[in-house]
């Protein structure tokens, strides 16, 4: 128990729960991919910025066109071709523009794109079994969606028609950027939900169920086109994060102040399950299924903390443990999965609920790993630099250095000896600091004494004798012999 208290005192990882919310103050969960906004506020900001950019582009195009026309007109007048009418100028300009556009389009014809994609596919060399498995899964999901939609009769037919239309539209929008494709998907989600509520009067709880099936259907079919597309730097970010996590292989639970004891068999099983869930996220194709893997992983983490501490886990316990799980598991294509969920998940799932909370924490964990430093790990900068460069490594846990058949008592004994060694080093440091403090106090006392002596020597204190006080009227008088004799009383006879 004391050990846990020591860990909590030196905790370097803390995220206020208010930091997980949208920075616009709407109350929904924010996301680093949306610059701290929630899905709704981010789309509003994105549309504002996009409209502003479009307006600026139009103004720039108009200005360049005017300059081009003025330059062309002046050049023609200089050459004596004033007879050239404005209509001929427009015709020539149009022909030149058409020629340029045709020339540019040659580089982006369907055949060239198909050839490029074919070369890329051949370079990746996926096995035929993977394609067959994807095709089988797509067929299965399509059949399940049709069976589900049939139960809704006319609303179901309408939604199925809208989904087919969306898929046909997206097949012609492969050249759009991934952000624009994400906007199309988000608009589609919003339109379908509004259509169910306003036109078909479907209850809200059933709307969520239908939207889950719609997302599953369209994203299973769109997955290979929109997950980690070649037009983005998602793959580059994946490699950077993977390299960063590998460089941090030396980080121990004690450095992160993780309140989890893997010596407890049940806790160790929970840790393994959490790592399995976060790795399994990459095998899913639907954003909701990927979110479910994150949620299962997080619940295993909470259970592991609860068993170790014998009390419910707090948010300050959860985030360091999630970071440790990510470092230990090094999930494949982590950034691609986060970006895919952010772009194509039903936004209502990311803005509220436990899925949104756990996903936001995962984004924070990845951001922390990217910015991890010595202070957050309670290390000196020298030790951190040595560990990162591989010059040395921290002491391994005893459970890693023993063979599996060693009894738990021996492991616990070695762990206790290591703890005593650490306490001994700490005690030595405390004694050294105490001696230094004692010396400082002695030096300070001697310095003050010397200053006082110097002042006394410079300004000596002269003490004069007291002057003799006047004799009081009732005090003893040494000259009594000079006084007349006292009066004697006279007695008279009665």
């Amino acid at each position: 128990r004391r050990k846990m208290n020591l860990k909590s005192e030196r905790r370097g990882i803390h995220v206020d729960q208010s930091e997980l919310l949208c920075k616009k103050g709407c109350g929904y969960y924010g996301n680093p991919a949306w610059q701290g906004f929630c899905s709704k506020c981010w789309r509003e900001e994105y549309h504002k910025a996009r409209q502003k950019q479009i307006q600026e582009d139009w103004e720039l195009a108009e200005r360049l066109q005017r300059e081009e026309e003025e330059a062309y007109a002046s050049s023609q007048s200089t050459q004596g071709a004033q007879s050239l009418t404005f209509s001929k100028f427009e015709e020539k300009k149009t022909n030149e523009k058409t020629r340029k556009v045709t020339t540019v389009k040659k580089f982006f014809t369907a055949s060239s794109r198909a050839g490029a994609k074919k070369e890329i596919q051949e370079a990746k060399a996926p096995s035929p079994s993977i394609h067959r498995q994807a095709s089988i899964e797509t067929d299965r999901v399509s059949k399940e969606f049709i069976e589900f939609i049939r139960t809704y009769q006319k609303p179901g037919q309408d939604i199925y028609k809208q989904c087919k239309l969306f898929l046909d539209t997206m097949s012609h929008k492969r050249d759009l950027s991934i952000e624009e494709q994400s906007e199309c998907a988000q608009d589609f989600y919003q339109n379908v939900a509004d259509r169910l509520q306003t036109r078909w009067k479907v209850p809200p709880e059933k709307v969520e169920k239908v939207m889950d099936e719609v997302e599953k259907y369209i994203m299973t079919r769109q997955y290979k086109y929109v997950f980690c597309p070649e037009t983005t730097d998602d793959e580059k970010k994946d490699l950077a994060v993977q390299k960063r996590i590998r460089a941090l292989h030396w980080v121990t639970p004690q450095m992160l102040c993780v309140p989890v004891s893997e010596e407890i068999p049940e806790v160790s099983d929970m840790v393994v399950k959490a790592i399995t869930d976060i790795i399994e996220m990459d095998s899913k194709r639907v954003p909701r299924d990927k979110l479910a893997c994150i949620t299962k992983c997080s619940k295993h983490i909470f259970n592991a903390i609860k068993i170790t501490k014998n009390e419910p886990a707090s948010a300050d316990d959860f985030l360091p443990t999630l970071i440790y799980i990510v470092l230990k598991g090094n999930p494949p294509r982590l950034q691609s999965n986060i970006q895919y969920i952010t772009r194509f998940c039903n936004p209502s799932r990311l803005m509220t609920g436990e899925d949104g909370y756990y996903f936001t924490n995962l984004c924070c964990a990845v951001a922390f790993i990217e910015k991890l430093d010595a202070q957050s790990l309670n290390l000196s900068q020298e030790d951190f630099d040595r560990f990162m460069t591989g010059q040395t490594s921290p002491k391994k846990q005893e459970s890693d250095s023993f063979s599996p058949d060693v009894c738990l008592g021996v492991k616990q004994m070695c762990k206790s000896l290591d703890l005593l060694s650490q306490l001994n080093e700490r005690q030595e440091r405390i004694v050294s600091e105490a001696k230094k403090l004692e010396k400082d106090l002695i030096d300070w006392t001697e310095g003050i004494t010397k200053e006082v002596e110097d002042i006394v020597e410079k300004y000596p204190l002269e003490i004069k004798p007291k002057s003799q006080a006047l004799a009081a009227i009732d005090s003893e008088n040494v000259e009594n012999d000079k006084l007349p004799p006292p009066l004697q009383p006279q007695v008279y006879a009665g």
Side-chain angles (χ1 to χ4, degrees):
R1 184 66 181 176
R2 176 60 182 166
K3 187 176 180 182
M4 287 295 178
N5 292 336
L6 289 174
K7 284 185 177 181
S8 62
E9 290 172 2
R10 56 187 289 270
R11 181 178 300 282
I13 303 170
H14 172 73
V15 174
D16 194 345
Q17 293 303 294
S18 61
E19 298 177 17
L20 302 180
L21 300 177
C22 175
K23 65 181 183 181
K24 205 169 183 179
C26 64
Y28 295 117
Y29 290 122
N31 193 306
W34 297 324
Q35 299 179 6
F37 293 103
C38 68
S39 176
K40 181 180 178 182
C41 296
W42 166 247
R43 293 191 70 192
E44 293 175 358
E45 296 294 326
Y46 177 79
H47 282 303
K48 289 179 183 177
R50 191 175 179 183
Q51 291 299 325
K52 183 179 179 181
Q53 184 65 41
I54 291 174
Q55 183 66 27
E56 291 176 354
D57 291 345
W58 271 109
E59 293 174 357
L60 178 63
E62 291 176 355
R63 183 170 61 82
L64 293 176
Q65 185 176 2
R66 286 196 304 270
E67 293 176 357
E68 182 182 357
E69 291 173 356
E70 292 172 359
Y72 186 80
S74 62
S75 64
Q76 290 299 319
S77 62
T78 303
Q79 296 172 6
Q82 292 86 353
S83 60
L84 185 63
T85 62
F86 183 74
S87 60
K88 289 183 178 181
F89 165 74
E90 285 293 326
E91 181 181 357
K92 182 176 180 180
K93 182 179 177 183
T94 304
N95 293 336
E96 185 177 356
K97 185 184 296 185
T98 304
R99 179 178 57 80
K100 289 181 179 179
V101 171
T102 306
T103 304
V104 172
K105 282 187 175 180
K106 289 180 181 179
F107 293 99
F108 299 98
T109 56
S111 60
S112 65
R113 286 200 304 270
K117 289 184 178 179
K118 184 176 179 182
E119 291 177 2
I120 293 172
Q121 294 295 333
E122 290 177 355
K124 292 183 177 179
S127 62
S129 61
I130 296 178
H131 287 294
R132 285 197 299 270
Q133 183 179 359
S135 178
I136 291 172
E137 184 178 357
T138 302
D139 294 339
R140 178 182 59 79
V141 170
S142 300
K143 290 178 182 178
E144 291 176 355
F145 181 67
I146 293 172
E147 291 296 327
F148 173 80
I149 283 297
R150 281 177 180 172
T151 60
Y152 285 82
Q153 299 178 354
K154 287 187 178 180
Q157 295 176 6
D158 183 31
I159 297 304
Y160 182 73
K161 187 187 298 183
Q162 295 296 325
C163 291
K164 294 293 290 183
L165 181 62
F166 171 76
L167 291 173
D168 291 340
T169 304
M170 291 298 291
S171 66
H172 295 91
K173 293 185 176 182
R174 303 288 183 225
D175 295 335
L176 294 179
S177 66
I178 195 63
E179 287 77 15
E180 292 174 320
Q181 294 184 55
S182 172
E183 282 294 306
C184 293
Q186 298 296 330
D187 289 337
F188 175 71
Y189 288 143
Q190 187 64 45
N191 293 335
V192 171
D194 294 342
R195 198 178 186 91
L196 286 170
Q197 291 179 349
T198 57
R199 180 175 180 179
W200 300 108
K201 309 299 181 184
V202 178
E205 62 274 6
K206 289 188 177 181
V207 170
E208 286 298 321
K209 190 173 182 181
V210 173
M211 292 306 300
D212 288 343
E213 294 298 326
V214 167
E215 177 190 317
K216 182 179 180 181
Y217 174 63
I218 64 171
M219 294 317 302
T220 301
R221 302 178 70 90
Q222 291 290 308
Y223 179 77
K224 62 181 179 181
Y225 303 111
V226 297
F227 181 84
C228 192
E230 300 158 4
T231 56
T232 65
D233 58 350
D234 290 351
E235 186 175 2
K236 182 179 179 181
K237 291 180 179 178
D238 287 333
L239 295 175
V241 171
Q242 191 177 61
K243 183 179 179 181
R244 175 70 171 172
I245 292 176
R246 285 177 178 172
L248 295 169
H249 66 90
W250 48 268
V251 176
T252 64
Q254 289 73 25
M255 294 177 182
L256 293 169
C257 302
V258 174
V260 169
S261 177
E262 295 186 65
E263 284 79 10
I264 304 174
E266 191 175 359
V267 174
S268 180
D269 292 341
M270 292 291 178
V271 171
V272 172
K273 289 179 180 178
I275 294 174
T276 303
D277 289 332
I278 198 70
I279 292 176
E280 189 182 1
M281 174 179 63
D282 187 59
S283 65
K284 305 297 181 182
R285 306 180 74 183
V286 184
R288 180 168 61 92
D289 294 340
K290 291 181 181 291
L291 276 179
C293 291
I294 298 173
T295 301
K296 287 193 296 182
C297 168
S298 302
K299 289 184 176 180
H300 287 313
I301 290 173
F302 273 106
N303 289 334
I305 297 173
K306 183 178 180 181
I307 294 171
T308 302
K309 297 182 66 177
N310 199 21
E311 63 182 23
S314 65
D316 287 340
D317 294 329
F318 171 67
L319 183 59
T321 311
L322 179 60
I323 294 170
Y324 172 66
I325 294 297
V326 173
L327 289 176
K328 194 168 184 179
N330 198 356
R333 300 192 290 186
L334 183 56
Q335 280 288 3
S336 290
N337 281 286
I338 290 176
Q339 291 291 342
Y340 175 69
I341 294 172
T342 302
R343 292 164 181 160
F344 297 102
C345 184
N346 187 354
S348 62
R349 283 192 170 273
L350 300 183
M351 293 164 63
T352 57
E354 62 178 7
D355 287 343
Y357 175 76
Y358 294 137
F359 179 71
T360 305
N361 273 275
L362 177 62
C363 295
C364 290
V366 175
F368 176 85
I369 290 172
E370 292 174 344
K371 299 176 182 179
L372 186 141
D373 56 9
Q375 183 179 3
S376 55
L377 293 177
N378 303 291
L379 294 174
S380 64
Q381 189 62 44
E382 294 77 12
D383 289 341
F384 181 82
D385 293 338
R386 286 201 300 269
F387 295 156
M388 288 297 291
T389 55
Q391 296 177 2
T392 183
S393 61
K395 293 181 180 179
K396 297 288 185 180
Q397 291 298 304
E398 290 73 20
S399 57
D400 296 336
S401 59
F402 285 109
S403 59
D405 56 345
V406 175
C407 68
L408 185 61
V410 174
K411 294 181 181 179
Q412 187 64 37
M413 180 184 67
C414 293
K415 183 178 179 181
S416 299
L417 289 174
D418 183 62
L419 180 60
L420 289 173
S421 176
Q422 294 177 13
L423 291 174
N424 186 34
E425 294 176 359
R426 182 180 176 185
Q427 183 69 19
E428 290 177 355
R429 288 196 302 269
I430 292 174
V431 171
S432 175
E433 293 294 330
K435 290 181 178 179
K436 182 180 177 182
L437 177 61
E438 182 183 11
K439 184 178 182 301
D440 292 341
L441 288 173
I442 293 173
D443 293 342
W444 178 79
T445 304
E446 292 177 350
I448 294 296
T449 303
K450 188 175 184 306
E451 289 181 8
V452 172
E453 291 176 351
D454 292 342
I455 292 173
V456 170
E457 184 179 354
K458 187 175 182 180
Y459 304 102
L461 181 61
E462 296 181 0
I463 302 176
K464 296 180 179 181
K466 290 183 180 181
S467 59
Q468 188 172 2
L470 296 175
I473 192 168
D474 295 329
S475 64
E476 294 292 336
N477 198 328
V478 295
E479 300 178 349
N480 287 340
D481 54 340
K482 297 180 180 181
L483 292 177
L487 298 176
Q488 298 294 327
Q490 296 180 7
V491 180
Y492 294 94

